[in-house]
Amino acid sequence: MTSGATVWLTGLPSAGKTTIAYELAGRLREEGHRVEVLDGDEIREFISAGLGFSREDRHTNVQRIGFLAELLARNGVKALVPVIAPYVDSREAVRKRHQESGAAYIEVHVATPVEVCSVRDVKGLYAKQAAGELSGLTGVDDPYEEPESPDLRIESQDQTVQESAASVYALLTERGLA
């Protein structure tokens, strides 16, 4: 039986969170770990449908995802969570839930600068915001509170996806979780 853990990847839209999570998931699965990726977009569609992007709704969404991640983690699954989670208090509440249950929790800040994210613009959000078709974009006209002391900070613009995933893997190994 492998030990479970939550790896929460926080960062701006198009920072590389989901890409890194799926790369890491593949490596962990190859080694026989049970892994689930809790993609923020999928969660919004299926579990948080109806929530908007107000601070309160974002907090509710993060708490729902945190509950699911902790449930998986304490049942031996590696829950990889590429979710913006823009507010420190929301992320801290998730960390506290894990601490209370004894489930391992690792916070990874994918610290890609907004200038790089807006060029990547995977979902076209930055272009829509610039054209006035979208407001409340995290890191542009809505706040993103960077983690002050994440377990790991990744500068995705300076390394490959494989290198980013490998750095998360190395931390899991160091903590006896991979």
Side-chain angles (χ1 to χ4, degrees):
M1 160 128 172
T2 61
S3 56
T6 293
V7 178
W8 196 289
L9 298 106
T10 179
L12 296 173
S14 297
K17 302 175 300 296
T18 302
T19 307
I20 293 166
Y22 279 108
E23 179 71 25
L24 177 61
R27 180 169 181 179
L28 290 168
R29 283 190 186 109
E30 284 174 11
E31 295 182 0
H33 294 272
R34 292 171 29 200
V35 182
E36 291 295 334
V37 177
L38 300 181
D39 182 277
D41 293 333
E42 291 177 4
I43 298 287
R44 273 202 173 267
E45 182 179 350
F46 295 106
I47 293 173
S48 293
L51 288 182
F53 290 90
S54 67
R55 184 180 178 110
E56 185 179 350
D57 282 358
R58 287 178 192 257
H59 179 77
T60 298
N61 185 48
V62 168
Q63 296 318 296
R64 288 177 183 175
I65 298 167
F67 172 81
L68 277 176
E70 186 271 333
L71 182 69
L72 290 167
R74 72 178 147 90
N75 283 284
V77 176
K78 302 283 187 301
L80 309 182
V81 187
V83 172
I84 295 167
Y87 301 111
V88 170
D89 60 341
S90 296
R91 294 191 305 265
E92 281 308 307
V94 171
R95 180 186 295 275
K96 187 173 184 227
R97 169 184 291 283
H98 282 73
Q99 287 170 339
E100 289 169 355
S101 75
Y105 180 84
I106 292 174
E107 182 179 71
V108 177
H109 180 205
V110 183
T112 312
V114 68
E115 299 78 20
V116 175
C117 294
S118 64
V119 170
R120 290 180 181 171
D121 204 9
V122 180
K123 299 173 194 157
L125 299 176
Y126 293 93
K128 285 181 183 169
Q129 193 277 336
E133 299 167 18
L134 175 83
S135 64
L137 181 59
T138 302
V140 178
D141 60 352
D142 211 56
Y144 176 74
E145 299 171 355
E146 290 194 5
E148 287 184 22
S149 53
D151 297 287
L152 178 65
R153 192 177 313 274
I154 292 174
E155 309 279 343
S156 76
Q157 72 280 9
D158 296 333
Q159 57 191 27
T160 66
V161 171
Q162 293 76 16
E163 289 168 336
S164 294
S167 63
V168 181
Y169 183 86
L171 181 59
L172 285 168
T173 302
E174 179 184 305
R175 301 224 175 144
L177 298 167

